[in-house]
Amino acid sequence: MMKEFILRNQRLEAAFDEYGRLVRLKNRKTGWKIQEREALALSFAMQVPLEGRRNNTVYGSEQQPPELGQPADNVLQFTWKGLKSAYTGLLDIIFTARVTLHMRGLLFESRVENRSPYTVESVEYPCLGAVERPEGAQPFYRMNGAYCRLMKTELAPHFANQMGYWGVDYPTQLAGGPESPFVLVGNEEQGLYVGNHDTTCKELVQFCFVMKPGQEDSLRFTVPAGREADGKPVHMELKVFHFPYAAPGETVEASPVFAGAYEGNWERGADLYKSWRSTWFKRPPAPSWIKPVHAWLQLHINSPEDELRCRYQDLVRYGRSCAQNGIRAIQLVGWNTGGQDRAYPLHDTDGRLGTAGELRQAIAEIQQMGVKVVLFNKYTWADRSLPQFRTRFLQYAAKDPYGDYRVHPGYQYQTPAQLSDINTRRLVPMCMNSAQWRDFCCGEFEKSIDLGADGILYDECQHHGGAFYCFDPSHGHHVPANIYAGDHLLAQDFRAVAEKKKPDFLFAGEACYDLELRDYALAYFRITPDHIPLQRYLDPYAGLMAAVTGFNDRDAINLCLVYRYIISYEPYMFKGSPEDFPRTVAYGRMVDALRTRYSNLLWDAEFTGTKGLLLESAQKESLHYSVFIEPGTGRRAAAIANTDAERPAEVKVRFELQTSNLWFFSPEEPDGKVCGGSRVIPPRSLAVLYEK
């Protein structure tokens, strides 16, 4: 009979066999048997490429039983000494896996000691061989972060293959990287959290889902019903990929992974990440002007196709328009040589738009009107079309294992030739771990300070165009190195420059992944009708800003209130003036006036998602809503937006442990009135119901 080693508390039970396989995982609160099929259990796997055979997998299931560490309460440790694959003899590699049971879940830690002549490229750990669905769970989802929002991807009853079907044997999905530090697997009632609990980006961590033996119907992506299909077990594997690239003689600690069961919707799963986040997150310094309710204008004045829309000296009229319309800041795009997405990493002024002195003077005049100016910057790429790319910047490009630089396809602007992708300027990801590259970037960044700007918005700071590792041995980093590890270093270098020249300088970025919010006080992004505010839930007080581009964009503005986002006005796709869409600006000002008046309930209050709110409505699918808690008093307010274009929504609202009737206010009715917890919200409108 197989030996079992069990970790158990009131919430979770995990059983491992003598081969180190996770044979059983159960949520004891709900009875959900997350993993129960012993025959499909897994321990670990690793990839150790050989000369002439890149795909050389070391499977934990093919090894001798590991050594069991000294027994301790709530801790199991397995050590495999000497590993073999189908294509090698015994490899002098030691793999140690340590599992610790905490109150909310399991912490998986692992270490590779590589004494072999080969590189350990990847490690798969932990691995769940067969994730079962809770009873009656249809549909069943994978949920993860991307672009400051929560993405939901169905796992059952439909499982789409996201890899090229020619490159895998089974339908496969991947999520991960810094934009997605955790995944949730579940539905609205319960789920499983699996998170990368590391703050260094020392390695790429990916979450891999594999549906075996395949789809029942490839046109509809359906998962076979039952536990067998043609005599083969139907199951979904969940494996965590690490990429340590442990060279011969190296010992590498993999990023710790935490797994825990939760009850409720995705917010309860994200609470596991928030709990860990509270142990390391520290809000970065920020200028005082971004803290109250305010709005921005994003203004683009040139692109790679040379529109040359506005000379520097004429920018003052935009500043005047912003001042007249209560807009506090301008994000200026395309001010640099060649315009937006051209000539980067250079951040010089463009002589066709005027002189540096004229831009400096325009910024100063706009600031005198009470409007801030934030300059668009970008350091992720170098423009390959630059004449000096190969002589000056190629040396800093991130290199792949073959010594070649990566190429991002770039972006198309305005002209038929570019819209047809004929003369697009290609972009080359740079290596953020190169100290010389960061020094160069600091010199370019300093130019924005010298122009008198109030801050920068670092566009595309959140990704590296599909490049994760740099293999260039001349950059002074481990070969290879995770490019994302250099993002924090670059931000620190920028701050060191600003501290000497302009300490009250705003650092903003596009859709910052969560670790970047240690460095950037504001993140800008765009939202869609199905937006789920993951980043706002993770950080109730972060500076988050959303684009508003429509000529009567009530719904986007309402979502800005519901999710505590700063409004970024962008008429003509950020190429116009506030006067170009007067209805949008007028409504936005009403909403901002409302949340200024009730800032104690809507702005300075803690955003808690939907926690503690009981909401009933026949039109619930068209509602976006959230709960704010007033500091000190604990008073709660529910902000509810009806995005239906035609139908009013009747809502009934109650808070848990509510002791009195509710009041309401709205942009059209800003004075609080009693409503008793019921309210009809007109189409494309919102209401705030609150405890008086």
Side-chain angles (χ1 to χ4, degrees):
M1 185 175 177
M2 193 79 68
K3 290 182 181 178
E4 276 194 355
F5 307 94
I6 298 175
L7 299 174
R8 181 190 294 118
N9 61 17
Q10 290 182 332
R11 174 173 292 277
L12 207 64
E13 178 180 305
F16 297 81
D17 66 12
E18 59 188 317
Y19 290 90
R21 302 184 309 157
L22 178 57
V23 296
R24 189 168 65 256
L25 184 63
K26 179 180 179 180
N27 181 342
R28 300 187 70 203
K29 283 184 170 286
T30 66
W32 177 23
K33 296 177 181 179
I34 303 167
Q35 160 90 18
E36 64 171 347
R37 285 187 267 180
E38 182 179 311
L40 299 175
L42 300 172
S43 56
F44 76 94
M46 64 175 61
Q47 198 64 238
V48 186
L50 309 174
E51 185 68 34
R53 178 171 275 281
R54 287 273 308 127
N55 191 342
N56 178 47
T57 306
V58 174
Y59 293 102
S61 58
E62 297 177 353
Q63 312 307 313
Q64 292 297 313
E67 296 178 5
L68 184 66
Q70 186 68 29
D73 288 344
N74 297 328
V75 178
L76 290 173
Q77 182 166 301
F78 303 98
T79 302
W80 290 264
K81 294 183 177 179
L83 304 178
K84 63 180 180 180
S85 75
Y87 308 103
T88 61
L90 208 60
L91 294 169
D92 193 0
I93 298 173
I94 300 174
F95 180 67
T96 303
R98 180 182 177 91
V99 188
T100 305
L101 177 64
H102 293 269
M103 183 174 68
R104 297 296 303 276
L106 298 165
L107 183 68
F108 294 88
E109 300 169 285
S110 58
R111 181 177 69 247
V112 174
E113 298 175 55
N114 185 14
R115 302 170 184 173
S116 79
Y118 309 107
T119 294
V120 177
E121 183 177 82
S122 65
V123 173
E124 301 170 28
Y125 187 78
C127 301
L128 277 72
V131 177
E132 310 291 349
R133 280 176 274 166
E135 190 77 24
Q138 296 280 16
F140 197 54
Y141 292 103
R142 159 173 69 86
M143 295 165 276
N144 59 274
Y147 206 71
C148 288
R149 70 191 188 280
L150 187 77
M151 299 278 289
K152 295 178 71 173
T153 305
E154 195 172 318
L155 297 173
H158 307 93
F159 189 104
N161 180 40
Q162 295 181 340
M163 304 291 109
Y165 90 103
W166 53 87
V168 291
D169 298 342
Y170 311 98
T172 301
Q173 297 180 13
L174 273 179
E179 277 199 284
S180 183
F182 64 88
V183 293
L184 308 175
V185 182
N187 56 14
E188 289 298 305
E189 283 74 46
Q190 61 179 316
L192 174 70
Y193 166 95
V194 183
N196 170 18
H197 284 198
D198 172 71
T199 63
T200 67
C201 291
K202 62 184 178 182
E203 69 193 18
L204 172 64
V205 176
Q206 299 268 45
F207 307 102
C208 179
F209 297 79
V210 180
M211 176 55 64
K212 294 184 176 181
Q215 296 155 341
E216 179 82 6
D217 181 338
S218 64
L219 294 183
R220 296 173 178 83
F221 311 141
T222 52
V223 175
R227 290 203 166 195
E228 283 195 353
D230 296 333
K232 305 172 184 66
V234 175
H235 62 291
M236 183 185 73
E237 296 178 353
L238 168 53
K239 302 176 285 187
V240 182
F241 289 174
H242 305 259
F243 295 85
Y245 283 95
E250 286 189 334
T251 296
V252 178
E253 301 273 351
S255 299
V257 173
F258 191 84
Y262 63 90
E263 298 81 49
N265 68 359
W266 68 267
E267 295 170 346
R268 303 292 80 77
D271 284 342
L272 292 168
Y273 180 82
K274 287 180 69 174
S275 178
W276 172 69
R277 186 183 194 268
S278 68
T279 66
W280 54 263
F281 182 77
K282 183 179 179 182
R283 197 167 304 287
S288 59
W289 64 266
I290 73 160
K291 296 176 182 178
V293 178
H294 68 287
W296 290 38
L297 172 75
Q298 184 176 184
L299 176 63
H300 164 107
I301 59 174
N302 194 20
S303 83
E305 293 294 86
D306 305 323
E307 281 83 50
L308 305 169
R309 296 173 186 274
C310 176
R311 292 186 60 82
Y312 298 140
Q313 61 189 13
D314 297 326
L315 288 170
V316 175
R317 67 181 176 89
Y318 289 95
R320 188 175 300 112
S321 175
C322 286
Q324 292 168 351
N325 284 281
I327 296 171
R328 189 68 190 277
I330 295 174
Q331 180 193 166
L332 187 61
V333 181
W335 62 272
N336 53 289
T337 301
Q340 184 179 7
D341 287 320
R342 178 176 171 184
Y344 292 127
L346 301 178
H347 288 71
D348 298 305
T349 53
D350 193 320
R352 298 170 298 171
L353 299 175
T355 66
E358 287 174 329
L359 179 54
R360 190 179 301 110
Q361 178 63 28
I363 290 172
E365 290 185 34
I366 292 170
Q367 290 167 336
Q368 289 172 4
M369 301 172 189
V371 178
K372 306 295 184 180
V373 178
V374 176
L375 295 181
F376 185 96
N377 278 217
K378 189 173 297 195
Y379 302 95
T380 306
W381 328 105
D383 176 359
R384 194 175 66 174
S385 72
L386 270 175
Q388 60 267 54
F389 167 73
R390 285 167 179 78
T391 59
R392 191 176 180 188
F393 301 124
L394 175 57
Q395 60 183 315
Y396 306 127
K399 305 299 195 312
D400 67 17
Y402 313 109
D404 295 321
Y405 59 82
R406 303 270 309 229
V407 179
H408 184 274
Y411 302 100
Q412 289 76 47
Y413 288 85
Q414 304 299 334
T415 64
Q418 279 232 338
L419 298 179
S420 300
D421 198 24
I422 295 171
N423 67 326
T424 306
R425 297 175 189 274
R426 309 304 178 189
L427 306 171
V428 177
M430 295 287 109
C431 177
M432 298 298 161
N433 291 300
S434 165
Q436 289 180 305
W437 170 250
R438 296 197 306 272
D439 286 345
F440 177 82
C441 291
C442 284
E444 296 301 302
F445 161 74
E446 196 168 359
K447 294 173 182 178
S448 292
I449 297 180
D450 291 342
L451 286 168
D454 297 286
I456 65 162
L457 195 144
Y458 179 174
D459 189 58
E460 296 191 278
C461 64
Q462 83 279 16
H463 73 110
H464 296 282
F468 287 104
Y469 280 85
C470 177
F471 291 79
D472 193 323
S474 71
H475 288 175
H477 55 63
H478 179 274
V479 179
N482 186 357
I483 300 169
Y484 285 80
D487 291 344
H488 182 53
L489 300 177
L490 181 62
Q492 288 182 314
D493 291 346
F494 284 168
R495 283 199 173 271
V497 173
E499 280 296 319
K500 294 177 182 177
K501 305 195 73 170
K502 194 170 185 176
D504 196 30
F505 196 76
L506 174 64
F507 288 86
E510 181 185 3
C512 301
Y513 57 81
D514 193 51
L515 287 173
E516 287 186 309
L517 291 179
R518 298 173 297 176
D519 301 309
Y520 297 90
L522 185 147
Y524 161 86
F525 47 88
R526 291 165 291 278
I527 57 178
T528 56
D530 59 351
H531 181 76
I532 302 175
L534 174 62
Q535 194 58 58
R536 170 55 73 221
Y537 185 75
L538 297 180
D539 193 330
Y541 296 104
L544 301 179
M545 182 166 67
V548 171
T549 63
F551 281 78
N552 186 20
D553 227 350
R554 293 174 62 95
D555 290 329
I557 291 169
N558 288 339
L559 294 191
C560 285
L561 181 142
V562 171
Y563 300 136
R564 196 186 176 277
Y565 295 156
I566 299 164
I567 297 171
S568 175
Y569 293 112
E570 303 182 10
Y572 295 116
M573 308 297 185
F574 64 99
K575 302 174 189 75
S577 175
E579 288 80 9
D580 291 323
F581 54 7
R583 287 177 296 166
T584 291
V585 171
Y587 186 68
R589 295 189 72 175
M590 287 176 62
V591 165
D592 276 352
L594 192 74
R595 51 184 179 171
T596 297
R597 177 175 175 177
Y598 294 99
S599 60
N600 58 315
L601 291 175
L602 297 175
W603 193 260
D604 300 323
E606 180 186 1
F607 179 92
T608 63
T610 61
K611 192 177 294 183
L613 180 66
L614 308 174
L615 185 147
E616 297 177 15
S617 176
Q619 289 84 36
K620 201 168 183 178
E621 73 283 352
S622 67
L623 300 179
H624 288 249
Y625 51 94
S626 62
V627 176
F628 295 86
I629 298 180
E630 183 181 35
T633 69
R635 231 178 6 144
R636 293 165 293 185
I640 308 166
N642 176 18
T643 58
D644 194 291
E646 299 176 352
R647 296 182 302 164
E650 182 177 355
V651 299
K652 294 182 179 180
V653 169
R654 181 171 176 80
F655 293 111
E656 291 179 357
L657 304 178
Q658 182 180 319
T659 58
S660 62
N661 284 335
L662 298 181
W663 287 50
F664 90 96
F665 55 78
S666 69
E668 293 81 9
E669 298 180 83
D671 298 326
K673 296 179 181 179
V674 69
C675 67
S678 298
R679 182 69 184 162
V680 175
I681 305 176
R684 307 193 70 203
S685 298
L686 68 85
V688 179
L689 281 69
Y690 66 102
E691 296 176 305
K692 179 64 173 173

